[in-house]
Amino acid sequence: VCIYGALQSGERWSAPFLLASGDGEPCWNPVLYTRPDGRTLLYFKRGAPIARWRSYVQESQGCLAWSDARELCPGDEGGVGPVKNKPLPLPDGPLLGPASTEGADGWRCFADLSQDGGLHFSRGAEIPMDRRSLSFLGVIQPSFWLDAQGVVHALMRSGEGVLYASHSLDMGRSWSLAEKTSVPNNNCGIDLCRLDNGLLVLCHNPVSGNWGPRSPLILSVSQDEGQTFTPLYWLDHVPCEKNETGAEFSYPAILSHGNEMDLSYTWKRQTIAHWRLRLER
């Protein structure tokens, strides 16, 4: 498995080009982040099994030529830094990396910290949860956001039929006990962003159950900092009763620009879908 990219010019996308190859090892879960200085960083995992994969990063100014990949935290196994979703810049300077591991002792979410704009990450605080209440392995692939009061929030994928949430009062250095939300989750990835009008926009499959169908894929909005989400717009849907390739819309990534959003996701395991949407009200 290799990682490819494409560049958009106007309404057209370039042909895919190779970004990262694992020299015989699989590469996983690419995450793009552009720093304030214009440098774009690509994070990805490499190796197998997942419990022993390592984190890599490479960078580019303009996304035409890329540096060689290097380990984000040499010697680390299991994953440090962004695992699926974009990092969160904090007002006090650091970058918060939404991280998780998938080991024999369960799935666990972390908030890793970078003090140099994402070039290096160190292992941060684990998001605690009552593991005695779990029917599956735990939570992975968090998505972070910051509210106006300086509280950092996390939504996390789970195998319990719903998303889990946690909150940090100290910029991700420690976290509240992860708790179930009312938002359905099919044990598939999510992502969210905040618009300039204050709304949170969540891209997800509104489906409950462990390894449930990955259709439909929708946008939901929250006006109360993630306490509740209301379905807004259906992006793709093929009716199905179980997860199957011909009805899979999954692993969204979403960015906001004012009140506009760019989002992409896997379309039926065949290609990548891209949307640009504007929320007028």
Side-chain angles (χ1 to χ4, degrees), residues 39-160:
R39 275 194 290 175
T40 296
L41 306 178
L42 167 66
Y43 304 101
F44 63 95
K45 309 301 182 185
R46 175 174 160 181
I50 290 175
R52 296 185 61 187
W53 64 14
R54 291 105 54 212
S55 300
Y56 281 77
V57 63
Q58 57 193 64
E59 58 186 281
S60 175
Q61 189 78 38
C63 297
L64 292 174
W66 290 81
S67 69
D68 292 335
R70 61 168 177 80
E71 282 197 67
L72 191 60
C73 184
D76 173 79
E77 287 189 346
V80 66
V83 68
K84 176 201 169 292
N85 296 322
K86 55 193 175 294
L88 175 69
L90 298 175
D92 60 348
L95 204 59
L96 201 61
S100 61
T101 56
E102 302 175 44
D105 60 343
W107 289 3
R108 302 174 186 274
C109 284
F110 298 84
D112 291 342
L113 284 169
S114 173
Q115 301 289 347
D116 59 4
L119 298 178
H120 302 84
F121 277 89
S122 59
R123 175 51 51 83
E126 180 178 337
I127 298 177
M129 64 185 316
D130 181 3
R131 308 194 74 81
R132 297 169 299 178
S133 66
L134 297 176
S135 61
F136 194 59
L137 294 169
V139 291
I140 55 172
Q141 298 172 356
S143 190
F144 294 153
W145 77 94
L146 180 70
D147 70 22
Q149 284 68 48
V151 178
V152 180
H153 303 265
L155 275 183
M156 296 161 281
R157 164 184 171 177
S158 86
E160 306 300 313

Side-chain angles (χ1 to χ4, degrees), residues 180-203:
K180 288 183 176 181
T181 72
S182 60
V183 183
N185 184 239
N186 53 348
N187 200 353
C188 189
I190 63 166
D191 197 15
L192 59 78
C193 67
R194 184 191 294 282
L195 305 182
D196 278 3
N197 61 20
L199 287 178
L200 289 175
V201 182
L202 173 67
C203 193

